[in-house]
Amino acid sequence: MSGEEEENAAELKIGDVALILEHKYEQLQQMSEDPLNQVSQVFEKSLQYVKRFSRYKNPDAVRQVREILSRYQLAEFELCVLGNLCPETVEEAIAMVPSIKTKGRAHDDEAIEKMLNDLSLIKKFE
Amino acid sequence: MYLKVQLPWNVIIPAENLDAKGLMLQRSIIVRLMENFATRKATKDLGYFLAVTTLESIGEGRVRQHTGDVLFPVVFSCITFKLFRGEILEGVVHKVLKHGVFLRCGPVENIYLSYLKMPDYRYVPGENPVFLSDKLSKIEKEVVIRFIVIGTKWLEVEREFQALVSLEGDYLGPISQSKLYKEAEKLNFDAAIRENKTSVALVGRDNHGRVVLT
């Protein structure tokens, strides 16, 4: 997966997208009575999806998640998948993103576990 | 996966809209760009077009011979959604058939999970057909499933993607709603008024401090 990205494309977590799309939707609400009429089906379905699957409900939490994950030398897409799926155990994290184990950086289990703990703390105190 | 992409685009403004002052012109370029963007819907390389985020630059306009329109080359950033092979995602079941189920994930409606890729699950017919596993785990309409993408297909005419997914792998399969909001039974409910003050929501926090809406 990591080799297929466009050169000028960056991956986004569902939480980030939720903030952006909700903001857009609010802008549209201010401009017209019936914002859903103005947006494409693609936008509407995506907005529903990101609102439902965004695991962290407030913008600060989303930002903190990004901060924490960026401390661990992860590729952008690894960061996104971990942030999106929120694995609870080290085995689950490796199953979701096998490359965190196989690449040369060799994150050991302890580091991965610490990272997952930090993530779940954010959720607790959100 | 959701992507933020920077794109060059040519926005064409018909002659009638050109006699306005500078700011109005920029506004009509933006409006026209967003209209084109929504109409385009998706491309094979970038996926589904969700929303324009920023306008980076507007180049010098060039008059097109014969039509009198002006073409403005613009560069803008936007959000797109594309399915990648090998990616693990979560989606919702919206149709259950004898040989598999259809899932919806973001803007993609046609995600197919074949029964061949659901190890341990058997089809149970009925008015509300389901797939049931030996461990009594159920796959039915509105269930959230975590899957891996094994293939994607771009349909040029409909301008949309189809995908083939699988549950073969650790930690894949139905995710119970109660896992997303753990121990939902032990909630403290408060009524809260949403920000726009036109509706009331029941809000609670579960044991892990997560906000739960009903």
Side-chain angles (χ1 to χ4, degrees), chain B residues 31-71:
Chain B
V31 168
R32 185 56 55 114
L33 172 67
M34 289 176 69
E35 278 172 16
N36 292 354
F37 187 75
T39 316
R40 202 78 180 292
K41 191 175 162 192
T43 64
K44 185 175 179 186
D45 298 318
L46 297 169
Y48 290 83
F49 289 167
L50 261 53
V52 175
T53 49
T54 46
L55 192 55
E56 310 288 346
S57 69
I58 302 179
E60 257 187 49
R62 294 195 297 272
V63 179
R64 294 171 70 195
Q65 314 276 4
H66 305 302
T67 54
D69 304 333
V70 182
L71 187 145

Side-chain angles (χ1 to χ4, degrees), chain A residues 94-122:
Chain A
I94 298 175
M96 300 292 102
V97 193
S99 56
I100 55 177
K101 264 287 178 169
T102 58
K103 280 207 177 157
R105 298 154 305 163
H107 292 97
D108 58 5
D109 285 4
E110 260 185 50
I112 299 175
E113 191 165 345
K114 178 159 195 318
M115 173 173 67
L116 295 179
N117 282 340
D118 291 342
L119 282 181
S120 61
L121 275 177
I122 299 182

Side-chain angles (χ1 to χ4, degrees), chain A residues 1 4-6 8-14 16-17 20-21 24 28-29 31 38 40-43 45-46 48-50 52-53 55 57 76-77 80-81 84-89 91-93 95-98 120 123-126, chain B residues 1-8 34 38 41 45-46 48-53 79 81-82 84-92 104-107 109 142 144 146 170-172 175 177 179-182 196 205 207-211:
Chain A
M1 182 177 142
E4 291 171 46
E5 284 111 38
E6 303 284 316
N8 54 359
E11 296 89 336
L12 289 172
K13 291 210 306 300
I14 290 178
D16 300 321
V17 178
I20 297 175
L21 292 187
K24 282 259 141 193
L28 287 170
Q29 272 182 327
M31 290 191 327
Q38 311 270 332
S40 61
Q41 275 248 312
V42 170
F43 183 94
K45 290 199 188 135
S46 306
Q48 268 177 13
Y49 179 83
V50 298
R52 181 171 181 178
F53 286 94
R55 303 216 181 210
K57 299 292 176 187
E76 193 70 33
F77 83 90
C80 286
V81 177
N84 288 347
L85 298 175
C86 290
E88 287 163 6
T89 63
E91 292 82 42
E92 195 178 344
M96 300 292 102
V97 193
S120 61
K123 234 188 270 191
K124 234 187 223 176
F125 297 109
E126 205 193 347
Chain B
M1 169 139 302
Y2 289 92
L3 303 171
K4 185 165 182 200
V5 190
Q6 198 173 71
L7 281 183
M34 289 176 69
K41 191 175 162 192
D45 298 318
L46 297 169
Y48 290 83
F49 289 167
L50 261 53
V52 175
T53 49
I79 305 203
F81 179 78
K82 188 175 176 189
F84 291 93
R85 191 161 358 134
E87 187 180 0
I88 294 181
L89 285 166
E90 291 171 340
V92 182
R104 176 195 307 134
C105 173
E109 290 275 305
E142 295 308 308
V144 173
R146 190 187 275 176
D170 294 327
Y171 299 98
L172 299 179
I175 305 280
Q177 285 298 118
K179 188 183 187 227
L180 291 176
Y181 310 124
K182 255 200 209 140
N196 63 6
R205 281 189 183 272
N207 278 8
H208 297 263
R210 269 171 294 198
V211 174

